[in-house]
Amino acid sequence: MNGSYIPEDAVSTIKYLKELELYEREKPFQILIDIPKSAPDQRYTNLVYEDREETFHDVRGKETTFTLNDHGFTYRRHNFEFDDYEDREAVEANYLPKVEDFIKAEVEDVDKVFFFDWRLRHNASLPKGTIIDLNDPTDWLLPAVHAHVDQSPGAALSRTLLQLPEEADFLLRGRRTWVTGMDSVWKPLRNRVEDWPLAVCDGSNVEEDDLLETDHIRRQYNGANMNALYREKYKWYYLRRQGPDEPLLLKQFDSATDVKAIRAPHVSFEHRHVRVNAPKRESIEVRALVYTFPRDNAKPFQL
């Protein structure tokens, strides 16, 4: 990319949770385990999506004008000097510490980083009948095509209480940010992304009632994310041909009250102008709880 680069906005269709009267009677849910045959309700989900066309603005050349506190996301230049992404032990022993150092260097006031999840994704067809092990982060998932936030505020709080019980009271007295690449760290593995880039929404104009908390029922843990409802006001952005050395830092939740953006919905979209024989997207996302230790006599965070 050189100084004569011309930004290339993209138009594509993504999915939003449909605003149904149903969700006034029952909470949106998705069950990711087998339902007993004796259960009276055999539904695995009540999620209904609608397709909407959006314009995604290319931020290349002005990546650093977007900040975590003002927009809920930012891009950086960084080489993690790591390539063994399909090796779970190598990722957890060598890559995650590099991500922790990156977060602490790029995000202000970070005292503690706790990783609780990471995941590989690629845009490649899986053989019919393939069973994905959601407990194995090296099992490839497809890009997520519905606009969402990975964690609800309640889920972030619950995860702190569950996974850091002895420290929870102390940690929840400080400012806390929830991340996935940081706040979420997301990046391509080896090639520039062309076919299914990740887009992020300016979080400064996303309100609480633009999102619906959705329960995710798993065998080992029940969590919740936030599905986005369609709003004309949204402003979507992406980094065209994002490379492995251009990680995206993305907020999922921030308990601070003095910032413009406490989260940034995101989604993958099918780019309509892709080179013939362009490499398929491969990416890694890392999710972490990020804490600032409490100052003075701060009160614990509560919903």
Side-chain angles (χ1 to χ4, degrees):
M1 304 295 177
N2 55 45
S4 62
Y5 176 79
I6 299 176
E8 186 177 298
D9 295 348
V11 176
S12 191
T13 299
I14 60 173
K15 295 184 181 297
Y16 289 97
L17 188 65
K18 200 165 186 178
E19 203 158 5
L20 301 177
E21 186 271 337
L22 169 68
Y23 301 134
E24 297 178 11
R25 304 193 312 269
E26 63 180 31
K27 190 175 182 181
F29 69 87
Q30 186 172 23
I31 298 175
L32 302 170
I33 58 176
D34 292 335
I35 299 175
K37 294 181 179 180
S38 59
D41 190 342
Q42 290 291 311
R43 293 177 301 165
Y44 280 90
T45 185
N46 65 353
L47 301 181
V48 179
Y49 293 102
E50 60 178 338
D51 291 338
R52 293 281 187 164
E53 191 170 78
E54 293 282 11
T55 297
F56 303 93
H57 302 284
D58 181 9
V59 304
R60 186 165 295 284
K62 50 186 177 182
E63 298 95 319
T64 57
T65 63
F66 295 89
T67 68
L68 285 169
N69 284 342
D70 287 347
H71 306 94
F73 68 94
T74 191
Y75 294 90
R76 288 291 185 264
R77 285 273 186 178
H78 187 83
N79 187 343
F80 289 94
E81 298 182 346
F82 181 85
D83 194 50
D84 296 327
Y85 296 105
E86 291 89 350
D87 185 327
R88 181 171 183 172
E89 290 185 1
V91 169
E92 294 175 355
N94 301 313
Y95 180 65
L96 295 189
K98 293 175 182 289
V99 175
E100 178 173 356
D101 290 342
F102 172 67
I103 291 173
K104 288 182 175 179
E106 296 292 346
V107 183
E108 62 182 11
D109 298 330
V110 173
D111 294 311
K112 182 180 178 69
V113 177
F114 177 79
F115 297 110
F116 63 88
D117 188 28
W118 61 275
R119 197 84 229 184
L120 298 179
R121 292 184 187 268
H122 67 173
N123 176 36
S125 299
L126 297 173
K128 187 175 181 180
T130 298
I131 298 176
I132 301 296
D133 183 356
L134 294 176
N135 294 312
D136 183 355
T138 63
D139 263 16
W140 296 89
L141 296 183
L142 292 171
V145 298
H146 57 283
H148 68 286
V149 176
D150 289 355
Q151 292 278 302
S152 70
L157 175 60
S158 296
R159 194 171 282 278
T160 298
L161 296 171
L162 175 69
Q163 300 198 262
L164 297 167
E166 296 181 358
E167 302 174 73
D169 182 69
F170 172 75
L171 294 172
L172 293 175
R173 293 179 186 274
R175 168 180 170 170
R176 182 201 56 214
T177 304
W178 190 92
V179 295
T180 176
M182 164 287 166
D183 274 84
S184 221
V185 176
W186 187 99
K187 78 175 205 69
L189 295 193
R190 302 177 182 95
N191 300 302
R192 292 188 177 275
V193 171
E194 298 186 47
D195 55 349
W196 282 87
L198 186 70
V200 284
C201 185
D202 181 352
S204 65
N205 67 353
V206 178
E207 306 295 335
E208 197 75 31
D209 61 3
D210 297 330
L211 307 164
L212 277 184
E213 185 177 48
T214 301
D215 285 341
H216 283 190
I217 310 302
R218 304 190 183 198
R219 190 171 307 281
Q220 297 180 344
Y221 180 77
N222 294 338
N225 73 352
M226 305 286 280
N227 272 298
L229 303 167
Y230 174 72
R231 302 287 188 260
E232 289 186 6
K233 64 180 179 178
Y234 293 151
K235 296 179 181 178
W236 287 98
Y237 300 91
Y238 84 114
L239 181 60
R240 179 174 174 262
R241 299 196 70 213
Q242 183 178 353
D245 61 346
E246 297 176 310
L248 167 67
L249 292 91
L250 173 66
K251 274 188 186 181
Q252 309 292 345
F253 174 68
D254 190 342
S255 61
T257 58
D258 59 348
V259 298
K260 293 181 180 179
I262 66 171
R263 62 175 68 86
H266 51 284
V267 69
S268 296
F269 69 92
E270 184 177 16
H271 203 295
R272 296 175 179 174
H273 303 287
V274 178
R275 292 180 301 125
V276 176
N277 297 324
K280 296 291 186 180
R281 167 185 148 178
E282 294 182 331
S283 62
I284 184 170
E285 58 206 54
V286 178
R287 298 183 176 94
L289 291 161
V290 176
Y291 302 92
T292 298
F293 290 159
R295 312 295 191 240
D296 302 323
N297 295 316
K299 296 181 179 181
F301 167 73
Q302 294 179 336
L303 292 176

